[in-house]
Amino acid sequence: MELATFNELTQEIISECFFMTESQQEEKVIQLIDLHHFIECFNQRLEILSYIHHSINIVKQNNTRVGILFYDLKHSALPDCNASEEFKKKHSLAALWFVFVEEGFTKETTCHTDCIIENSLDIFFDRIFLFNFFQSVIHSLK
């Protein structure tokens, strides 16, 4: 993402999310960075439709609306999967994707598959990915 684009989008978050705390705005900026880098690595033809008002980002892939939820296994509380399912219906999404975001390189996915099984993520999400942010590598886990 170019610096000018990043600055523009950050300003949009600050102005649109004035009701959020500084920490919440920072999380929103991180969500935006994850989304843009994921698109660069996965498919640059994904079109961003919405990212500001919810933790689930809405994108368009081949005229199909998809929700993408980013999750950091080390730093985030697991989202409410039932709320994600309701969000899918409310926003007429064809699919929901769950993306584990990792900063460091990892070959071991046991903790990710354990999380999927323990929380039945495969029931609520159509696709599940492991996204190594700094290596720019995406692995499909489902």
Side-chain angles (χ1 to χ4, degrees), residues 33-50:
I33 292 168
D34 287 344
L35 177 61
H36 274 270
H37 193 50
F38 181 82
I39 288 171
E40 288 172 353
C41 298
F42 184 77
N43 181 346
Q44 294 182 358
R45 291 177 284 169
L46 290 177
E47 177 187 346
I48 299 171
L49 300 177
S50 175

Side-chain angles (χ1 to χ4, degrees), residues 72-74 100-104 106 112 130-134:
D72 184 336
L73 194 60
K74 296 177 186 117
F100 289 102
V101 179
E102 291 290 336
E103 293 177 3
T106 179
H112 302 94
L130 174 59
F131 177 38
N132 183 294
F133 187 88
F134 292 114

Side-chain angles (χ1 to χ4, degrees), residues 72-88:
D72 184 336
L73 194 60
K74 296 177 186 117
H75 301 291
S76 303
L78 195 66
D80 180 354
C81 291
N82 289 319
S84 298
E85 185 66 25
E86 290 173 28
F87 185 88
K88 180 180 179 181

